[in-house]
Amino acid sequence: MATNRTFTMIKPDAFKAGNSGAILKMIEEAGFKIVAMKATQLTPALAGKFYEVHQERPFYKDLCAYMSSGPIIAAILEKENAVEDFRTLIGATNPANAAEGTIRKIFATSIEANAVHGSDSDENAAIEGSFYFSQTERVG
Ligand code: IDP
Ligand code: MG
């Protein structure tokens, strides 16, 4: 995957609240192009695998339960400087600390149910995109 890509999930809280369309609109208006997208639901085991870097953290078990609790939207996004610009667009992990106008400030309900995921590096963007999408399920 090119390094001008990042990976996102619209998490169960935002999907359930009917905020997927509004979030995707913000993402497109910020200049990101959707190069792969699907609605799906993780099993607890798959959520555990996706977040395995956090397995020693106290919130890991709750996070896996929450992330498998309902449908999500997974997407690969393309833009110059995608990883960093997307982290700016979504805001801080804890919505209480997120800047005004960011996706998490607007849509997140807690530090756990924080509306969206965004990759933290080019390397993880590629790993996470491949976790969800095969070569034929994405543009390029
Ligand atoms: P990030 O999503 O902003 O990169 P990470 O530290 O990678 O934040 O954490 C992954 C996810 O785990 C967060 O998006 C959030 O859903 C959840 N999480 C992070 N810290 C906490 C916490 O202190 N309590 C509960 N859940 C948390
Ligand atoms: Mg992270």
Side-chain angles (χ1 to χ4, degrees), residues 108-123:
T109 53
S110 71
I111 189 169
E112 179 179 77
N114 59 3
V116 283
H117 169 81
S119 304
D120 62 8
S121 65
D122 289 341
E123 187 194 0

Side-chain angles (χ1 to χ4, degrees), residues 42-108:
L42 293 170
T43 61
L46 281 172
K49 177 130 184 57
F50 186 89
Y51 282 111
E52 72 188 349
V53 297
H54 292 311
Q55 60 190 329
E56 303 305 328
R57 308 277 286 277
F59 58 80
Y60 177 69
K61 228 177 132 205
D62 274 357
L63 176 62
C64 296
Y66 155 65
M67 284 301 296
S68 57
S69 68
I72 62 159
I73 288 175
I76 297 172
L77 305 172
E78 194 166 83
K79 183 186 181 296
E80 225 175 272
N81 203 34
V83 167
E84 195 186 337
D85 286 2
F86 194 70
R87 295 290 302 204
T88 301
L89 178 67
I90 68 177
T93 307
N94 186 345
N97 303 328
E100 288 301 327
T102 59
I103 291 175
R104 282 169 166 169
K105 187 68 172 186
I106 296 167
F107 297 107

Side-chain angles (χ1 to χ4, degrees), residues 1-8 33 35-36 75-79 82-83 119 121-135 137-140:
M1 192 187 293
T3 55
N4 59 349
R5 290 184 172 186
T6 191
F7 171 79
T8 189
K33 191 174 131 197
V35 295
I76 297 172
L77 305 172
E78 194 166 83
K79 183 186 181 296
V83 167
S119 304
S121 65
D122 289 341
E123 187 194 0
N124 284 335
I127 292 168
E128 292 169 1
S130 299
F131 182 90
Y132 281 94
F133 298 102
S134 69
Q135 194 78 57
E137 289 175 317
R138 58 190 196 226
V139 177

